[in-house]
Amino acid sequence: MYRNKNKHKHRFSKLKKQYKDAIKRQLTRDFILLSKNDINHDCLFAHPLSETDKLFEERDGIEQLSSHINDDEIYMQNGYASAATALLNLIKISNDRFVRESYINPVMFCFRQYLELSMKDSILRLRLMRKKANKDESKIQGHDLLNLWEGLVKYLTKDKTVISVGNLIKELNDVDKSGTLFRYNEFLTKSIGDEERKMPLIDVDNLYTRVLQMYRFFESVNELARNGQDEMAANHCEYE
């Protein structure tokens, strides 16, 4: 009986592994297909533009994307983070230099945008829970990540994780303080900012790990801020 139980358990583990492997192979095939059919390929099959064509239009019987107002904040932040990891996965499995070199800028832009949105959202929600405003509160306008981090860290307990995240934010902000490094090419950087475009060396596997670690951290902070705001609103309703 004990032997049969172990045999069944071993068979289940084997089937589970086979299922995971099959899913992984399918995802890899999907990613490879995506990387093969880039915009240069796909645009050849698009019909010519006409004067009546629109970017946004409603059509009956067709599922259309329109974030509900209550979910917009979540979709917005997570969309940028998910786009960054999806593109990183494409880079990781591709041997095409065009894919690797051209997709890394959208990766960095999307993840930087996620960090900015997440910190701004958390700061504003945490500020709503304080009794009164602090004189030295950081302004959240602009794209300076370090400034946002300094505004957020005031609400956090400074442990090893917080210090480590702060180091990564400073590192990213040092190379892209204006928020244009991964948005402007060299010509635009020189023409608009009158400066050299200095790209850091990027190890894709290392970057992927850091993106996941930072996402996990900032999502936990944002969830804490959201839960606190919800609890405060619930307590307010009880006293009305």
Side-chain angles (χ1 to χ4, degrees):
M1 183 73 175
Y2 181 74
R3 187 180 300 172
N4 289 338
K5 188 176 180 181
N6 275 350
K7 188 176 180 181
H8 175 74
K9 186 177 179 180
H10 176 72
R11 189 185 301 118
F12 177 76
S13 298
K14 188 176 180 181
L15 288 172
K16 191 175 180 181
K17 184 178 183 302
Q18 289 174 347
Y19 173 75
K20 285 184 175 180
D21 289 343
I23 293 296
K24 187 176 180 181
R25 286 195 298 271
Q26 181 62 48
L27 288 173
T28 301
R29 283 195 295 268
D30 291 343
F31 274 124
I32 289 174
L33 286 174
L34 283 171
S35 66
K36 294 294 183 185
N37 294 340
D38 61 22
I39 193 168
N40 292 301
H41 172 272
D42 293 343
C43 74
L44 299 175
F45 303 96
H47 65 75
L49 275 169
S50 68
E51 294 181 0
T52 57
D53 285 339
K54 297 179 180 179
L55 279 175
F56 312 106
E57 63 178 3
E58 296 182 9
R59 289 191 291 171
D60 294 334
I62 304 287
E63 182 181 0
Q64 303 198 358
L65 298 177
S66 178
S67 297
H68 191 274
I69 190 168
N70 292 330
D71 300 325
D72 176 65
E73 307 148 351
I74 297 173
Y75 286 145
M76 181 74 74
Q77 291 173 202
N78 283 270
Y80 281 112
S82 296
T85 54
L87 289 172
L88 271 173
N89 277 314
L90 279 174
I91 292 172
K92 287 172 68 175
I93 64 170
S94 177
N95 293 320
D96 188 327
R97 185 177 177 183
F98 175 82
V99 170
R100 298 176 67 83
E101 294 291 343
S102 63
Y103 285 17
I104 194 62
N105 290 302
V107 165
M108 294 307 302
F109 169 78
C110 285
F111 190 61
R112 194 188 192 287
Q113 182 72 356
Y114 163 76
L115 293 173
E116 182 180 325
L117 289 176
S118 182
M119 283 194 279
K120 286 181 175 179
D121 189 86
S122 295
I123 289 171
L124 287 176
R125 292 178 191 278
L126 290 167
R127 283 182 181 178
L128 290 173
M129 291 186 284
R130 66 194 181 347
K131 292 182 179 179
K132 62 179 181 179
N134 298 321
K135 293 181 180 179
D136 60 342
E137 283 183 340
S138 303
K139 293 181 179 180
I140 65 168
Q141 292 85 353
H143 309 290
D144 190 318
L145 294 181
L146 188 58
N147 179 64
L148 291 173
W149 173 252
E150 289 171 350
L152 179 62
V153 78
K154 293 175 183 177
Y155 298 95
L156 308 177
T157 303
K158 214 172 227 187
D159 56 17
K160 290 182 178 179
T161 301
V162 171
I163 292 171
S164 298
V165 171
N167 291 339
L168 295 175
I169 292 293
K170 185 178 184 304
E171 181 184 3
L172 178 55
N173 199 70
D174 284 346
V175 299
D176 187 25
K177 189 170 184 177
S178 64
T180 60
L181 180 65
F182 305 106
R183 291 196 294 135
Y184 292 175
N185 60 26
E186 190 169 353
F187 174 75
L188 289 175
T189 302
K190 286 182 178 179
S191 301
I192 298 174
D194 192 25
E195 58 185 21
E196 295 289 329
R197 185 170 183 263
K198 298 177 181 178
M199 282 287 290
L201 295 175
I202 297 174
D203 180 301
V204 175
D205 290 328
N206 177 71
L207 176 63
Y208 186 75
T209 300
R210 296 295 170 265
V211 165
L212 296 180
Q213 291 168 329
M214 293 175 77
Y215 174 81
R216 181 174 59 200
F217 173 82
F218 282 104
E219 282 300 288
S220 65
V221 171
N222 196 239
E223 184 177 358
L224 181 68
R226 288 172 182 272
N227 290 341
Q229 187 184 19
D230 290 343
E231 186 177 341
M232 186 179 69
N235 292 336
H236 180 71
C237 290
E238 288 180 5
Y239 289 105
E240 284 186 344

